[in-house]
Amino acid sequence: MKILFLGDVMGRSGRAAITTHLPRLRTEWRLDFVVVNGENATSGMGLSGEHAKLLFEAGADVVTLGDHAFDQKDMLAYIEKEPRIIRPINYSKAAPGVGARVFPAPGGRKVLVAQVLGQVFMKRPFDDPFSALDAVLRQYPMGGQVNASLIDIHCEATSEKMATGHFCDGRASIVVGTHTHVPTADAMILPGGTAYQSDAGMCGDYNSVIGMDKVEPLRRFITGMPKARFAPAAEEATLSGLYVETDDRTGKATRVEMVRQGGRLAQAGPA
Ligand SMILES: [Fe+2]
Ligand SMILES: [Fe+2]
């Protein structure tokens, strides 16, 4: 199966990059399944129902969220009626929606998508991600009822992400990091057959500080004094993520390529 994962969509320029490039990439790369992280798509903070619709219309099969899952209040109700949105499995026992679900793919195939929050350097303490993941991967083992599985590990520390990759190696088709908004250059297939990248990077304007207009973040770093609100940077975004081919029978990854399309970053992709 040909699977594309795209990292955190950041504000208006991130949304514009999705609507500009994703429909074309779906056809050109003959994609079977597309997962997009949408946690920053609305003004850089959360995802509104309206913008979720836009991501699906552009070609996303599933949208994952993150620590900003419910920054837009309408997502609390929207996620209950839109099964294609996945929030972190360990967000809170009180959170609406689910953290893992099996989705249909072309040809009667099935794909498991799950998201988990890490614990290192995160603002809020979240429940143990490893036991949560273990339960999901026991329920849907690779090469069992699902043809492929994708885990979005949403956290700050590359160490925690790599540990998650190895924890899931041979048990999930893809483990990909999100949240830092900067792509890492370590796309690989782990020894057990799991495609891995520590962070997919954001779909946003890279002439910025992790997607925000750089003036206010710079002021805060330099003076320690906030003066204005953060706003997403507005120049052309780079679509950033990971392209993976998997074996439908075993679920193992057979090819992995980093993806960077449009905008300011050096370009990359499977073509
Ligand atoms: Fe993010
Ligand atoms: Fe995040």
Side-chain angles (χ1 to χ4, degrees), residues 8-10 37 39-40 44 65 67-68 154 178-181 202:
D8 311 39
V9 177
M10 188 67 193
N37 183 299
E39 75 148 358
N40 307 106
L65 294 170
D67 54 320
H68 291 288
H154 194 83
T178 52
H179 180 72
T180 73
H181 293 198
M202 66 172 167

Side-chain angles (χ1 to χ4, degrees), residues 82-253:
E82 179 46 90
R84 294 175 293 175
I85 299 179
I86 293 292
R87 47 87 169 158
I89 198 162
N90 55 340
Y91 188 93
S92 158
K93 289 194 170 52
V98 301
R101 186 174 265 135
V102 175
F103 295 93
R109 291 172 291 181
K110 288 178 182 162
V111 181
L112 167 73
V113 179
Q115 184 181 48
V116 69
L117 282 159
Q119 295 176 305
V120 180
F121 305 139
M122 299 299 280
K123 281 186 188 132
R124 260 188 59 207
F126 297 105
D127 290 346
D128 173 24
F130 294 97
S131 56
L133 269 181
D134 190 58
V136 172
L137 295 174
R138 275 176 198 279
Q139 195 178 352
Y140 302 105
M142 205 162 82
Q145 340 154 15
V146 294
N147 301 96
S149 50
L150 182 148
I151 310 295
D152 172 352
I153 163 72
H154 194 83
C155 68
E156 289 283 0
T158 45
S159 55
E160 192 174 21
K161 284 167 162 159
M162 291 191 93
T164 304
H166 291 300
F167 182 75
C168 298
D169 187 21
R171 304 176 71 192
S173 311
I174 304 167
V175 174
V176 60
T178 52
H179 180 72
T180 73
H181 293 198
V182 179
T184 55
D186 60 344
M188 62 178 145
I189 299 175
L190 296 174
T194 297
Y196 174 81
Q197 186 181 11
S198 294
D199 203 295
M202 66 172 167
C203 297
D205 172 8
Y206 280 80
N207 180 21
S208 68
V209 174
I210 62 168
M212 291 296 181
D213 181 279
K214 60 196 177 189
V215 174
E216 180 62 16
L218 272 169
R219 175 171 24 236
R220 293 194 198 182
F221 274 114
I222 295 162
T223 70
M225 290 177 281
K227 194 173 170 187
R229 294 174 68 158
F230 287 144
E235 289 169 30
E236 189 190 340
T238 302
L239 275 198
S240 302
L242 191 64
Y243 168 88
V244 181
E245 292 179 9
T246 62
D247 182 312
D248 286 338
R249 192 177 53 82
T250 63
K252 291 186 180 188

